[in-house]
């Protein structure tokens, strides 16, 4: 019996990354409280959240492979989530301008009853983007994105350089996920 792969996420970016790899999968996401436990280190918080996202889907498909993930922007010891409005997006981008921030993705993969978790970190160095922010906000690419930007779109010109996995910044560290899947 061939195991199916289920992506426990509605993220279009995660879907695109897996499709790019030629992985045959279906999407079935759970909707859970995504509150992070601030008492834990960021890596542990994200792995716990990814496990909480994966578990209900694993219950539905106990013999298949379930992949869940959560990505955050982390700057100045604070998680920067998705902005609620244009003003908050502006404030976030001004804070990140000309600074380094980290992007973390916690991943949980159920392979039958075996659970693997890991957290990937990528350092992102922004140029001084203060003059670019109004046009970027007008593009609306910031909507629904942690840190108020998507590196795969117009915000790529904001980035001076990264240290780590670009796919991780987009939303899923595909290389590491593939390593886990190939170990099954």
């Amino acid at each position: 019996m061939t195991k199916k792969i289920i992506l426990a996420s509605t993220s279009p970016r995660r879907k695109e990354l897996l499709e790019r790899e030629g992985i045959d999968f279906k999407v079935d996401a759970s909707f859970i409280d995504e509150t992070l436990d601030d008492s834990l280190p960021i890596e542990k918080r994200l792995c716990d959240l990814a496990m909480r996202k994966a578990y209900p889907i694993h219950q539905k498909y106990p013999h298949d492979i379930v992949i869940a993930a959560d990505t955050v922007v982390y700057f100045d010891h604070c998680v920067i989530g998705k902005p609620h409005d244009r003003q908050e997006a502006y404030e976030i981008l001004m804070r990140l301008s000309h600074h380094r921030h980290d992007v973390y993705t916690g991943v949980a993969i159920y392979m039958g009853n075996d659970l693997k978790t890991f957290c990937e970190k990528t350092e992102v160095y922004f140029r001084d983007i203060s003059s670019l922010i109004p046009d970027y906000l007008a593009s609306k690419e910031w909507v629904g994105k942690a840190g108020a930007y998507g590196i795969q779109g117009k915000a790529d010109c904001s980035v001076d350089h990264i240290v780590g996995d670009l796919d991780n910044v987009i939303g899923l560290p595909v290389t590491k996920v593939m390593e886990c899947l190939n170990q099954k």
Side-chain angles (χ1 to χ4, degrees), residues 6-9 27-31 52-62 65-68 110:
I6 294 90
L7 176 62
S9 172
V27 172
D28 190 353
S30 59
F31 297 94
R52 290 196 333 253
K53 287 180 171 184
Y55 185 73
I57 306 306
H58 167 65
Q59 294 296 99
K60 281 174 75 172
Y61 308 95
I65 298 168
V66 176
I67 302 169
Y110 274 99

Side-chain angles (χ1 to χ4, degrees), residues 32-53 68-81 104-108 117-120:
I32 62 158
D33 175 12
E34 294 193 18
T35 305
L36 295 173
D37 181 348
D38 291 339
S39 69
L40 299 172
I42 187 66
E43 296 92 340
K44 178 87 172 102
R45 284 186 247 175
L46 290 170
C47 285
D48 284 353
L49 181 53
M51 284 188 296
R52 290 196 333 253
K53 287 180 171 184
D70 198 72
T71 303
V72 298
V73 171
Y74 198 68
F75 177 70
D76 200 20
H77 307 288
C78 294
V79 171
I80 299 177
Y104 289 91
T105 301
V107 178
T117 63
F118 62 88
C119 190
E120 185 78 9

Side-chain angles (χ1 to χ4, degrees), residues 20-178:
R20 182 192 76 196
E21 296 300 313
I23 295 173
D24 185 25
F25 66 96
K26 70 182 262 181
V27 172
D28 190 353
S30 59
F31 297 94
I32 62 158
D33 175 12
E34 294 193 18
T35 305
L36 295 173
D37 181 348
D38 291 339
S39 69
L40 299 172
I42 187 66
E43 296 92 340
K44 178 87 172 102
R45 284 186 247 175
L46 290 170
C47 285
D48 284 353
L49 181 53
M51 284 188 296
R52 290 196 333 253
K53 287 180 171 184
Y55 185 73
I57 306 306
H58 167 65
Q59 294 296 99
K60 281 174 75 172
Y61 308 95
H63 304 292
D64 292 317
I65 298 168
V66 176
I67 302 169
D70 198 72
T71 303
V72 298
V73 171
Y74 198 68
F75 177 70
D76 200 20
H77 307 288
C78 294
V79 171
I80 299 177
K82 300 171 185 172
H84 295 97
D85 57 32
R86 185 183 175 112
Q87 181 59 38
E88 187 178 9
Y90 174 81
E91 291 165 7
I92 289 169
L93 292 170
M94 284 301 291
R95 283 179 63 203
L96 298 179
S97 179
H98 213 250
H99 289 95
R100 173 194 142 195
H101 61 275
D102 299 321
V103 175
Y104 289 91
T105 301
V107 178
I109 303 174
Y110 274 99
M111 291 187 270
N113 288 324
D114 186 26
L115 172 64
K116 296 183 181 195
T117 63
F118 62 88
C119 190
E120 185 78 9
K121 172 186 164 188
T122 303
E123 298 173 3
V124 180
Y125 294 80
F126 266 19
R127 296 171 170 44
D128 177 356
I129 61 167
S130 52
S131 65
L132 305 174
I133 293 173
D135 286 341
Y136 187 70
L137 292 175
S139 78
K140 301 219 187 278
E141 274 193 14
W142 56 271
V143 175
K145 298 200 174 64
Y149 75 94
I151 199 167
Q152 70 280 8
K154 290 178 171 44
D156 68 337
C157 66
S158 302
V159 178
D160 182 64
H161 68 283
I162 68 166
V163 177
D165 184 352
L166 175 62
D167 289 342
N168 184 54
V169 182
I170 296 171
L172 190 68
V174 176
T175 300
K176 207 156 182 183
V177 168
M178 295 301 292

